[in-house]
Amino acid sequence: MAELPKAAVERLIRRAGAKRVSDSAVVELSELLEDFADDVSTQALRLARHASRKTVTGEDIKIAAKL
């Protein structure tokens, strides 16, 4: 089950231009966003470790998101 707040995800969809948003759309986007965030976080941690750091930086996140 998604942990992101439903209202925040719905706002993202509305900001994209949707007038109406179904509950299932919110749930699906939440799950996709969490999967993506998990993948990016894992890759960012690998980058930090490769650089012999314990701290994940914003730059690690930016690079990981592009990979």
Side-chain angles (χ1 to χ4, degrees), residues 21-39:
V21 181
S22 70
D23 286 342
S24 65
V26 171
V27 169
E28 288 299 321
L29 183 57
S30 293
E31 290 173 2
L32 287 170
L33 290 172
E34 287 184 12
D35 288 344
F36 178 73
D38 186 50
D39 292 344

Side-chain angles (χ1 to χ4, degrees), residues 37-53:
D38 186 50
D39 292 344
V40 170
S41 299
T42 300
Q43 186 63 34
L45 179 58
R46 286 186 186 131
L47 291 167
R49 286 182 177 162
H50 179 73
S52 300
R53 289 184 280 108

